[in-house]
């Protein structure tokens, strides 16, 4: 029936899955949800938190250190290979395979740092780790959606968010301390490899088998290793090499390059962020040309064609994309200027801020995400979306009050504001994660999750570009009022969103795969 809404507890796809796939060990998901998302955040933290510190310690120049932000690109581009994880093997197999590769990669990185072969080899190792880690993310997100019913996906969203954040904190805190004061870089990276290997062994032995097996890995290798694709890959590598050689010939001295990079960094410009914005533009253009694209891809025997067009054909896709981009705009503006405001206007010390934000604030955010996920699982997303969205956005106005108090604000007041705002942000995270999962078609969970998570950073990029200029021009009080006002367009979309009562089916479900098989 057109516009039919599936119940959150049991969808048709879930019923078919439960009938065909044994749910061994899946009845106690808290442990494996926590372990998989800790394993997801751990290599991410190594690549995105340690790289710039390591390069600095190795004596890299300013512009080279700045270029470590390029290691984040695979997370923005992971939608390009996300469909492969839906089409081949199982998400469990991909998780274990990438974890084995990540463990080996961390050992290799530790050996390279000890051997001091030069920054080029170390950068290449980080790039490979980044690609493996982004692929690992796709597999874990897809496995989570494959293995849990919709109600359970909501209930355990707090576990996944908490475990992921704990992993990144472990990298930036205890591991960095061990590297600096006990084991050194090689020893610390070997310890990271041991942690990753332990997680791999646990998942290989205990991760539930909950999926149907797709095409085997060797078929994927045969698909990739065709003469045409190998020639295309060789051409891309040749172009990349040519660009590098061309850049080396440009008359730019080190001071000029450093100044340009510093200017871009101050403006909040990152290549990874702009890549996410480019993805948004591509999707908007695709929506405008959907009929033409569908006609060209209808009979193509391609997992990409089916994954991307199925995403664009979902109910009110343009509205969904707008909501995904707009959801965290206000929070993004707030986060960018929170520390400069508290340092310069309130006079908060770095030590006090680390306790208020890094300890109490983080704990409040964790608690809110867990509580929010449980409430959504119990009562449904529609019941809680407005209270949680308002909690995320309206609490920004507390910073308007702090700005009015200025230096007269006490540490207790400031700490309370930070913790309360972080609690509201945690409730917003619960809503956002549940809604993103609702946007993923059961047949293309990994590919669709890769698309929507790649778009999440667009608002952070926009805020990064504009926040400093706006705060300087407006002053902190009006600026924090603006952080609430920019959330109104996103909130105005809520009454029109699909999937609030469960994942909606399309009015006329597509049968492209069946027609394709018939035509072949």
């Amino acid at each position: 029936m057109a516009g039919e809404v599936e119940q959150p507890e049991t969808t048709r796809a879930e019923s078919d899955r439960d009938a065909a796939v044994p749910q061994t060990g899946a009845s106690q998901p808290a442990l494996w949800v926590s372990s998989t998302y800790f394993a997801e955040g751990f290599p991410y933290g190594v690549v995105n938190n340690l790289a710039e510190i390591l390069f600095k310690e190795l004596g890299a120049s300013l512009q080279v250190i700045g270029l470590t932000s390029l290691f984040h690109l695979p997370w923005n581009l992971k939608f390009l290979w996300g469909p492969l994880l839906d089409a081949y093997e199982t998400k469990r197999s991909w998780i274990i395979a990438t974890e084995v590769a990540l463990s080996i990669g961390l050992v290799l990185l530790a050996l390279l740092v000890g051997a001091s072969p030069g920054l080029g080899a170390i950068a290449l190792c980080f790039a490979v780790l980044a690609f493996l880690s982004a692929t690992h993310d796709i597999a874990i997100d897809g496995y989570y959606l494959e293995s849990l019913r919709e109600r359970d996906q909501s209930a355990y969203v707090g576990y996944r968010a908490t475990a992921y954040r704990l992993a990144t904190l472990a990298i930036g805190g205890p591991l960095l301390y061990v590297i600096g004061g006990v084991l050194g870089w090689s020893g610390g990276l070997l310890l990271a490899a041991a942690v990753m290997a332990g997680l791999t062994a646990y998942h290989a032995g205990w991760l539930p088998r909950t999926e149907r097996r797709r095409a085997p890995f060797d078929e994927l290798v045969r698909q990739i290793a065709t003469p045409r694709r190998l020639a295309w890959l060789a051409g891309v590598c040749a172009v990349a090499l040519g660009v590098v050689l061309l850049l080396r010939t440009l008359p730019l001295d080190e001071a000029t390059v450093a100044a340009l990079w510093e200017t871009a960094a101050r403006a909040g410009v990152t290549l990874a962020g702009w890549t996410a914005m480019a993805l948004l533009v591509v999707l908007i253009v695709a929506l405008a040309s959907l009929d033409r694209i569908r006609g060209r891809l209808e009979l193509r025997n391609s997992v990409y064609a089916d994954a991307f067009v199925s995403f664009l054909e979902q109910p009110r896709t343009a509205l969904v994309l707008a909501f995904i981009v707009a959801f965290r705009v206000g929070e993004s503006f707030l986060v960018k200027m929170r520390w400069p405001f508290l340092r310069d206007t309130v006079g908060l010390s770095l030590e006090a801020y680390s306790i208020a934000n890094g300890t109490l604030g983080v704990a409040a955010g964790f608690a809110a995400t867990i509580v929010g996920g449980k409430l959504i699982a119990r009562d449904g997303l529609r019941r809680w979306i407005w209270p949680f969205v308002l909690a995320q956005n309206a609490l920004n106005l507390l910073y308007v009050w702090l700005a009015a108090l200025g230096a007269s604000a006490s540490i207790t007041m400031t700490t309370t504001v930070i913790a309360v705002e972080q609690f509201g942000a945690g409730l917003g995270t619960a809503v956002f994660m549940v809604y993103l999962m609702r946007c993923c078609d059961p047949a293309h969970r990994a590919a669709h999750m890769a698309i929507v998570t790649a778009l999440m950073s667009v608002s952070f990029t926009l805020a990064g570009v504009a926040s400093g200029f706006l705060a300087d021009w407006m002053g902190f009080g009006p600026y924090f009022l603006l952080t609430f006002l920019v959330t109104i367009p996103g909130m105005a979309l809520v009454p029109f969103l699909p999937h609030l009562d469960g994942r909606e089916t399309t009015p006329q479900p597509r049968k492209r795969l069946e027609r394709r098989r018939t035509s072949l």
Side-chain angles (χ1 to χ4, degrees):
M1 180 181 295
E4 177 186 355
V5 178
E6 306 276 351
Q7 292 300 316
E9 300 90 283
T10 307
T11 65
R12 186 177 297 109
E14 288 170 337
S15 299
D16 293 343
R17 180 202 66 193
D18 294 342
V21 182
Q23 301 292 302
T24 305
S27 59
Q28 301 291 333
L31 188 57
W32 66 256
V33 169
S34 300
S35 69
T36 53
Y37 277 92
F38 187 90
E40 180 177 318
F42 195 78
Y44 177 90
V46 170
V47 173
N48 291 283
N49 295 347
L50 293 188
E52 61 186 48
I53 301 173
L54 174 60
F55 275 56
K56 176 65 176 177
E57 293 297 307
L58 295 176
S61 63
L62 177 63
Q63 63 267 34
V64 171
I65 294 172
L67 288 171
T68 60
S69 64
L70 297 179
F71 295 143
H72 193 268
L73 275 177
W75 280 273
N76 291 112
L77 298 175
K78 62 185 181 181
F79 67 92
L80 292 176
W81 59 93
L84 297 177
L85 277 69
D86 282 320
Y88 296 93
E89 283 293 344
T90 63
K91 310 300 186 304
R92 183 185 187 279
S93 299
W94 282 99
I95 290 171
I96 295 170
T98 50
E99 287 180 352
V100 169
L102 284 165
S103 301
I104 295 172
L106 288 169
V107 171
L108 179 60
L109 180 62
L111 297 177
L112 285 174
V113 171
S116 302
L119 293 178
I122 294 173
L124 178 61
C125 191
F126 268 114
V128 173
L129 286 172
F131 172 78
L132 291 171
S133 182
T135 306
H136 185 233
D137 287 9
I138 301 170
I140 288 176
D141 288 339
Y143 180 82
Y144 183 89
L145 295 175
E146 290 274 2
S147 302
L148 295 176
R149 297 173 182 271
E150 191 170 290
R151 173 176 289 180
D152 291 333
Q153 291 169 16
S154 302
Y156 290 99
V157 69
Y159 290 87
R160 56 182 280 184
T162 301
Y164 187 94
R165 182 58 185 256
L166 286 175
T168 59
L169 290 175
I171 296 296
L175 181 61
L176 193 58
Y177 176 83
V178 168
I179 288 172
V182 183
L183 297 178
W185 279 99
S186 292
L189 290 170
L190 285 174
L191 177 61
V195 171
M196 199 72 229
L199 290 165
T200 305
Y202 172 74
H203 292 153
W206 297 99
L207 200 61
R209 301 177 184 273
T210 59
E211 310 161 83
R212 292 177 181 271
R213 189 186 181 203
R214 274 55 170 210
F217 276 129
D218 56 357
E219 183 175 329
L220 173 60
V221 174
R222 287 196 299 270
Q223 290 286 336
I224 295 174
T226 62
R228 181 178 178 181
R229 288 189 170 91
L230 292 176
W232 181 85
L233 180 61
V236 170
C237 293
V239 171
L241 179 61
V243 170
V244 171
L245 294 175
L246 177 62
L247 291 175
R248 290 175 63 90
T249 65
L250 294 178
L252 293 176
D253 56 67
E254 183 172 329
T256 302
V257 175
L260 291 172
W261 189 266
E262 184 177 0
T263 300
R266 286 178 178 175
V269 179
T270 64
L271 183 55
W274 288 113
T275 302
M277 293 182 66
L279 170 61
L280 176 64
V281 171
V282 169
L283 285 173
I284 291 173
V285 172
L287 283 170
S289 310
L290 184 58
D291 289 339
R292 182 180 300 177
I293 293 172
R294 187 187 301 117
R296 295 178 66 90
L297 296 179
E298 190 73 29
L299 296 177
R300 288 179 65 92
N301 188 18
S302 168
V303 294
Y304 291 95
D306 198 51
F308 284 102
V309 176
S310 69
F311 181 82
L312 296 173
E313 284 185 334
Q314 296 183 89
R316 289 166 276 178
T317 308
L319 183 68
V320 169
L321 293 177
F323 180 72
I324 290 173
V325 173
F327 187 82
R328 281 183 163 165
V329 170
E331 181 189 358
S332 302
F333 274 107
L334 177 68
V335 168
K336 289 291 184 181
M337 289 292 111
R338 179 166 53 201
W339 167 241
F341 160 71
L342 294 174
R343 184 73 180 94
D344 297 340
T345 302
V346 179
L348 198 67
S349 68
L350 183 60
E351 293 80 5
Y353 181 71
S354 67
I355 295 173
N357 186 66
T359 304
L360 298 178
V362 168
F366 286 166
T369 306
I370 292 174
V371 170
K374 295 289 187 181
L375 290 175
I376 292 172
R378 188 189 69 184
D379 303 322
L381 182 59
R382 184 178 292 276
R383 167 66 179 81
W384 289 107
I385 188 169
W386 272 115
F388 290 177
V389 167
L390 286 172
Q392 174 183 264
N393 297 331
L395 291 176
N396 289 9
L397 296 174
L398 291 173
Y399 282 87
V400 179
W401 174 61
L402 274 186
L405 293 176
S408 64
S410 67
I411 292 180
T412 301
M413 290 179 183
T414 304
T415 301
T416 301
V417 167
I418 291 173
V420 170
E421 187 276 323
Q422 289 273 49
F423 188 85
L427 294 177
T429 296
V431 165
F432 199 39
M433 290 297 100
V434 170
Y435 189 74
L436 291 182
M437 290 186 287
R438 297 266 180 96
C439 295
C440 301
D441 182 76
H444 306 283
R445 288 183 173 97
H448 289 185
M449 197 65 178
I451 292 173
V452 296
T453 54
L455 287 171
M456 287 170 54
S457 64
V458 172
S459 60
F460 286 93
T461 299
L462 294 172
V465 172
S467 59
F469 301 107
L470 288 173
D472 184 61
W473 173 56
M474 302 174 69
F476 282 119
Y479 176 83
F480 289 126
L481 177 60
L482 177 69
T483 68
F484 171 71
L485 295 178
V486 296
T487 67
I488 294 176
M491 290 192 291
L493 299 176
V494 171
F496 309 101
L497 290 174
H499 313 316
L500 294 184
D501 296 309
R503 179 167 176 82
E504 297 180 11
T505 58
T506 56
Q508 294 180 338
R510 296 180 306 109
K511 300 292 183 181
R512 183 187 312 114
L513 287 177
E514 287 79 358
R515 289 197 301 270
R516 182 186 301 153
R517 293 190 187 101
T518 302
S519 65
L520 296 176

